[in-house]
Amino acid sequence: MASCRAWNIRVLVAVVCGLLTGIILGLGIWRIAIRIQRGISATSSSSPTEFCRNGGTWENGRCVCTEEWKGLRCTIANFCEKSTYMGFTFARIPVGRYGPSLQTCGKGTPNAGNPMAVRLCNLSPYGEIELQNVTIGNCNENLETLEEQVKDVTAPLNNISSEVQILTSDANKLTAENISSATRVVGQIFNTSRNASPEAKKIAIVTVSQLLDASGDAFQEAAATANNDALTTLIEQMETYSLSLGNESVVEPNIAIQSANFSSKDAVGPLNVRFSVQKGASSSLLSGSTFIHTNVDGLNPDGQTELQVLLNMTKSNSKACGFVVYQNDKLFQSKTFTAKSNFSQKIISSKTDENEQDQSASVDMVFSPRYNQREFQLYSYACVYWNLSTRDWDTYGCQKHKGTDGFLRCHCNHTTNFAVLMTFKKDYQYPKSLDVLSNVGCALSITGLALTIVFQIVTRKVRKTSVTWVLVNLCISMLIFNLLFVFGIENSNKNNKTSDGDIHDIDFKNNDVPQTDTIHTPNPTCTAIAALLHYFLLVTFTWNALSAAQLYFLLIRTMKPLPRHFILFISLIGWGVPAIVVAITVGVIYSQNGKNPQWELDYRQEIICWLAIPEPDGVTKSPLLWSFIVPVTIILISNVVIFITISIKVLWKNNQNLTSTKKVSSMRKIVSTLSVAVVFGITWILAYLMLVNDDSIRIIFSYIFCLFNTTQGLQIFFLYTVRTKIFQNEASKVLTLLSSIGGKKSLSSVTRLRLRVRMYNFLRSLPTLHEHFRLLETSLSTEDITLSESDKAKESI
């Protein structure tokens, strides 16, 4: 009867474990099926990722191509092939661009390293792509020498303009000094007192366009130079030049200028001039994309309009007006507004030939916001103009207007350089709440860990084993991590997401100049939770490593007794080292980026309260790599080595005494191996299998990883609590009590004691097996049997 009752307990435990495992596996399979189904439906409803070819990107429902391609799918060539002419070789050149020669000036020349010649790729009058003649530069001239030459009123401005254009053809090599020198030379060419030829000025416009391809850092350094007003002077001269083109236009990839001449003596009422810029296949300005219409009723934007300006002029002496469009804001280096995104911030200038005191024109504008709507939301915008006195953006005389057509509308009561400074909020795709699988697994782990902690503490005197301290600390750290994961991993900003980026949600009363083009809603609570998760997960892995080290010393090195103050020493390591790692990580990030309001996003993610995922070009500087992945990888490698060593030398070592109990011993070996694997954290190796590129395989490993690691606390409960003799005895008493209440006759305590003594004697007959497994199990209760003094000494290890 006693053996039947023991088997009943085992069967009950097996059934419970089987049911829980079956439920969790079923939930995992169900979640995999739903995930695959969602993936198929999402794939069929979205645009194919390979729709845009040749580097084109899918933005706002269309392909935005690079300069070298055009067409619906960026499949039509828009470049001149590699060529050789007059001994100079030129690489592929986009249409509308000057390509530098591969041959450069020698090291002994003032212009060392710069191209010796340039060549234009353009469209013929019939629309065919063709290469123009080669323009050869002078290797004995550089921007500094040209800056000195242009000061001479008799200097040949045509030659100087061509030389500057050649010297600035490779924007990647331009420095702050090059930009400053080039703008001063171009400024002299546009100076009305120098009477430069129209051809020299048109070449100078090419130079300005090439300068706008230089890096933003170089422009910032050039603008920061003391008493450097070259950029401001160039902006003023561009406005003046825009009045001198008659009814013609000059369009380069980064700048477009167009004029309109008219007579107002016969006009009745206001005279309106409308200037429009159409969207192109690429981000560059294209010839034929700008239009001027006079005597119009008002603005008339359509789906192809990128920006439109309406110049409202009353009866005056104005005979001409001009417009300038800058592809980016690099000439306008603001001290208050910082652009961090790569979205194009076009600048539009409008000017009449009236005197400054008689300026009476006002301006209405519409801008089509161009940004990645899949990743960002338009948060707000400001209608501003460039104040030439303060050399910064200002809002005086400008205000925002509501529109119903998706355009950003502005009105200013004066003419100058205008812009719309847009601010964006990243449209984070916050994950859904934890699914059923994660909730069930974490709940079971939390329950199992709590029961294990209580059991290990309550029964520590009976079991008399030093393994208890390591196991309790491991369970405590894992329990706290699971609680933080369940209740704190989600960012509370997820619940504050109310706007979908609609223009109607913008505050039109506020027209203040923003500080940056991207905003972030700070959440110190999420940062604190990320740091705590970081800390307690590192603590868990550290105790995994300490558990491995302890078992290695006890089973392999047979160190008896353990060193003095061993418990204190490992406690300082287990709880102190992770604290140092987290403190250093947060401290370094804050010291480097503390002035940035978004510094916390360098440490954590926004979508969840966990360490930030590095950008492809910033992996080596990522806190996730150095403060988590590297130490965890080292711990896992060492734990695997110790696990293999213990498994071979102890757990699976052949024993010649095994005969009829071979099957039972093999089962105990398997269970003991699992016990060691769980406390060593071996299952976390599955996380590396989630890094494969195949989505279907990654999903499978993701759910396997979730299954094993969310239930790690439950596994510890079964392997280190349910399997102990003390727990089974207490469970046996409960079942005996329940059986007696049901009318079943229970065995006497004497009979149970005899059976236990027989089992104990049987185990004592297998000394080698007993010695190998003794440290992985709890000692028998002193209430059941009385051990000898020597046995008690062994059990105290």
Side-chain angles (χ1 to χ4, degrees):
M1 294 295 293
S3 60
C4 292
R5 190 174 306 281
W7 277 107
N8 288 336
I9 296 174
R10 294 181 181 178
V11 170
L12 177 62
V13 172
V15 170
V16 173
C17 295
L19 288 175
L20 291 175
T21 304
I23 292 172
I24 295 174
L25 286 174
L27 290 172
I29 295 172
W30 173 64
R31 289 296 299 163
I32 292 174
I34 291 180
R35 178 75 175 270
I36 294 174
Q37 183 179 1
R38 288 178 179 175
I40 294 174
S41 62
T43 303
S44 61
S45 61
S46 60
S47 299
T49 55
E50 298 296 330
F51 181 79
C52 302
R53 303 295 180 89
N54 300 310
T57 57
W58 184 263
E59 293 183 10
N60 305 340
R62 69 188 186 97
C63 287
V64 177
C65 309
T66 61
E67 284 189 311
E68 297 179 346
W69 300 91
K70 62 182 180 179
L72 180 64
R73 301 182 61 187
C74 306
T75 55
I76 302 175
N78 191 46
F79 57 85
C80 296
E81 292 286 359
K82 181 179 179 180
S83 60
T84 301
Y85 186 74
M86 296 178 60
F88 297 104
T89 302
F90 300 88
R92 179 187 289 182
I93 307 173
V95 172
R97 293 274 187 178
Y98 283 84
S101 65
L102 300 182
Q103 290 78 18
T104 58
C105 295
K107 295 182 179 180
T109 62
N111 195 20
N114 286 312
M116 299 178 64
V118 294
R119 194 177 192 185
L120 174 64
C121 175
N122 213 346
L123 294 176
S124 69
Y126 302 101
E128 297 179 353
I129 299 175
E130 62 180 11
L131 286 165
Q132 305 295 325
N133 291 331
V134 173
T135 303
I136 303 175
N138 185 355
C139 289
N140 294 318
E141 301 286 356
N142 56 28
L143 290 171
E144 287 73 18
T145 60
L146 292 175
E147 186 179 355
E148 294 298 323
Q149 292 179 22
V150 79
K151 295 178 182 178
D152 186 356
V153 293
T154 61
L157 296 182
N158 280 15
N159 293 340
I160 292 176
S161 184
S162 296
E163 289 293 338
V164 174
Q165 188 264 318
I166 295 173
L167 292 173
T168 58
S169 60
D170 191 351
N172 295 325
K173 296 182 179 180
L174 294 177
T175 64
E177 292 77 14
N178 297 150
I179 293 173
S180 298
S181 297
T183 51
R184 282 191 282 267
V185 173
V186 171
Q188 288 294 326
I189 295 173
F190 283 112
N191 191 332
T192 54
S193 63
R194 301 298 300 271
N195 295 321
S197 66
E199 184 62 28
K201 292 182 179 180
K202 288 185 178 181
I203 296 176
I205 293 297
V206 176
T207 301
V208 174
S209 177
Q210 293 175 166
L211 288 175
L212 291 176
D213 282 324
S215 69
D217 293 337
F219 268 98
Q220 289 179 4
E221 187 178 347
T225 304
N227 300 323
N228 183 6
D229 59 353
L231 297 180
T232 302
T233 302
L234 181 60
I235 293 170
E236 292 179 297
Q237 290 171 338
M238 290 293 99
E239 291 184 6
T240 303
Y241 177 67
S242 68
L243 299 172
S244 64
L245 293 177
N247 291 313
E248 297 182 357
S249 65
V250 178
V251 181
E252 294 296 330
N254 290 318
I255 186 172
I257 304 175
Q258 192 161 359
S259 300
N261 286 352
F262 49 86
S263 174
S264 60
K265 61 181 181 180
D266 298 326
V268 178
L271 177 65
N272 297 329
V273 179
R274 186 173 65 212
F275 175 72
S276 304
V277 178
Q278 300 295 101
K279 296 178 181 178
S282 67
S283 58
S284 300
L285 295 168
L286 303 175
S287 179
S289 61
T290 61
F291 304 93
I292 283 184
H293 299 90
T294 58
N295 293 319
V296 295
D297 295 330
L299 294 169
N300 185 28
D302 55 26
Q304 295 300 315
T305 301
E306 187 161 3
L307 65 88
Q308 200 171 87
V309 178
L310 182 68
L311 195 58
N312 305 306
M313 296 181 293
T314 57
K315 287 184 178 181
S316 64
N317 295 324
S318 297
K319 303 295 183 182
C321 67
F323 301 92
V324 183
V325 179
Y326 301 93
Q327 179 64 12
N328 55 58
D329 59 353
K330 292 178 181 178
L331 287 178
F332 304 83
Q333 292 297 314
S334 172
K335 297 180 287 292
T336 58
F337 175 77
T338 303
K340 297 182 179 180
S341 65
N342 57 356
F343 304 133
S344 177
Q345 296 274 6
K346 281 186 170 61
I347 314 298
I348 177 70
S349 166
S350 64
K351 185 176 179 63
T352 64
D353 60 353
E354 289 181 300
N355 295 326
E356 293 293 333
Q357 296 81 5
D358 299 331
Q359 287 284 341
S360 58
S362 63
V363 178
D364 289 300
M365 296 165 285
V366 293
F367 290 79
S368 175
R370 186 174 181 177
Y371 61 97
N372 189 343
Q373 295 182 356
R374 292 180 297 178
E375 296 185 9
F376 289 87
Q377 294 179 358
L378 178 62
Y379 179 77
S380 185
Y381 71 96
C383 299
V384 298
Y385 76 97
W386 187 253
N387 190 323
L388 294 173
S389 301
T390 62
R391 300 178 185 178
D392 211 336
W393 297 114
D394 199 348
T395 60
Y396 176 77
C398 296
Q399 57 187 354
K400 294 187 286 190
H401 282 178
K402 259 187 183 179
T404 59
D405 47 11
F407 287 91
L408 308 181
R409 294 179 175 268
C410 297
H411 173 80
C412 293
N413 58 15
H414 52 82
T415 59
T416 183
N417 296 278
F418 301 101
V420 167
L421 302 183
M422 294 176 285
T423 57
F424 302 95
K425 187 174 182 180
K426 193 163 184 179
D427 187 14
Y428 292 102
Q429 300 300 317
Y430 293 100
K432 296 181 179 180
S433 300
L434 294 176
D435 56 22
V436 179
L437 177 62
S438 299
N439 280 322
V440 172
C442 289
L444 292 175
S445 282
I446 291 171
T447 304
L449 290 169
L451 293 175
T452 301
I453 293 170
V454 173
F455 176 80
Q456 293 289 327
I457 294 175
V458 171
T459 63
R460 67 187 185 281
K461 293 182 179 179
V462 178
R463 292 177 295 103
K464 298 179 181 179
T465 172
S466 59
V467 182
T468 298
W469 181 254
V470 178
L471 184 62
V472 168
N473 282 272
L474 174 62
C475 291
I476 290 174
S477 61
M478 197 179 300
L479 174 63
I480 298 176
F481 173 79
N482 275 277
L483 289 172
L484 288 171
F485 179 81
V486 172
F487 297 105
I489 191 70
E490 292 183 2
N491 193 339
S492 58
N493 286 345
K494 171 184 177 181
N495 302 322
N496 300 329
K497 184 180 176 181
T498 56
S499 172
D500 58 356
D502 194 344
I503 293 178
H504 301 290
D505 297 326
I506 294 175
D507 182 8
F508 287 92
K509 296 181 180 179
N510 180 13
N511 194 39
D512 296 333
V513 178
Q515 294 182 349
T516 180
D517 61 345
T518 55
I519 66 167
H520 164 66
T521 303
N523 191 346
T525 302
C526 185
T527 305
I529 291 175
L532 290 174
L533 285 170
H534 184 195
Y535 171 69
F536 282 105
L537 192 54
L538 283 180
V539 169
T540 300
F541 278 105
T542 305
W543 281 107
N544 284 333
L546 292 172
S547 177
Q550 186 185 34
L551 285 181
Y552 176 79
F553 285 126
L554 291 174
L555 298 177
I556 305 300
R557 299 291 297 275
T558 61
M559 186 179 293
K560 304 174 185 178
L562 292 170
R564 291 185 60 188
H565 309 298
F566 180 74
I567 298 300
L568 177 61
F569 179 71
I570 62 175
S571 298
L572 291 176
I573 294 177
W575 295 100
V577 173
I580 295 173
V581 172
V582 174
I584 292 176
T585 303
V586 177
V588 169
I589 293 176
Y590 184 78
S591 63
Q592 293 178 347
N593 309 289
K595 296 181 180 179
N596 183 359
Q598 303 182 26
W599 74 269
E600 55 188 10
L601 292 185
D602 293 321
Y603 175 69
R604 65 164 176 88
Q605 302 178 43
E606 173 63 19
I607 57 176
I608 57 174
C609 301
W610 178 240
L611 299 180
I613 298 176
E615 298 292 338
D617 56 347
V619 175
T620 56
K621 299 180 180 179
S622 167
L624 180 65
L625 175 66
W626 296 109
S627 67
F628 184 73
I629 295 179
V630 169
V632 167
T633 301
I634 295 173
I635 290 174
L636 286 177
I637 292 174
S638 62
N639 284 7
V640 169
V641 173
I642 295 175
F643 172 71
I644 294 174
T645 303
I646 292 177
S647 299
I648 294 175
K649 293 188 176 182
V650 178
L651 301 181
W652 289 89
K653 185 176 181 180
N654 291 329
N655 191 345
Q656 302 298 328
N657 295 325
L658 292 179
T659 55
S660 61
T661 60
K662 185 175 181 180
K663 293 184 178 179
V664 177
S665 298
S666 297
M667 181 59 66
R668 293 186 65 178
K669 289 180 181 180
I670 293 173
V671 174
S672 298
T673 304
L674 292 176
S675 302
V676 174
V678 169
V679 295
F680 283 16
I682 303 299
T683 54
W684 281 86
I685 296 176
L686 293 171
Y688 296 93
L689 299 177
M690 296 163 55
L691 301 177
V692 296
N693 293 326
D694 193 303
D695 289 339
S696 58
I697 297 177
R698 184 167 60 247
I699 290 173
I700 294 174
F701 282 121
S702 297
Y703 281 100
I704 294 176
F705 172 81
C706 182
L707 173 65
F708 280 100
N709 288 282
T710 58
T711 61
Q712 191 174 6
L714 182 65
Q715 298 168 42
I716 291 176
F717 172 68
F718 280 117
L719 295 171
Y720 288 89
T721 300
V722 175
R723 289 181 59 242
T724 60
K725 297 296 187 294
I726 298 175
F727 183 86
Q728 292 179 5
N729 288 339
E730 295 300 323
S732 177
K733 293 178 182 179
V734 173
L735 288 178
T736 301
L737 179 61
L738 294 176
S739 300
S740 62
I741 294 175
K744 295 182 178 180
K745 186 177 180 180
S746 61
L747 293 175
S748 63
S749 58
V750 177
T751 304
R752 293 197 303 272
L753 180 58
R754 289 176 179 174
L755 290 174
R756 292 168 186 164
V757 171
R758 290 177 183 176
M759 181 61 68
Y760 173 72
N761 292 331
F762 172 75
L763 292 175
R764 288 294 302 270
S765 66
L766 304 175
T768 305
L769 180 64
H770 175 72
E771 182 65 24
H772 285 174
F773 286 93
R774 180 172 54 80
L775 290 170
L776 302 179
E777 298 181 351
T778 308
S779 59
L780 296 176
S781 173
T782 55
E783 298 175 356
D784 298 331
I785 56 177
T786 303
L787 301 177
S788 65
E789 293 298 327
S790 60
D791 292 333
K792 289 183 179 179
K794 293 179 181 178
E795 291 294 335
S796 63
I797 296 175

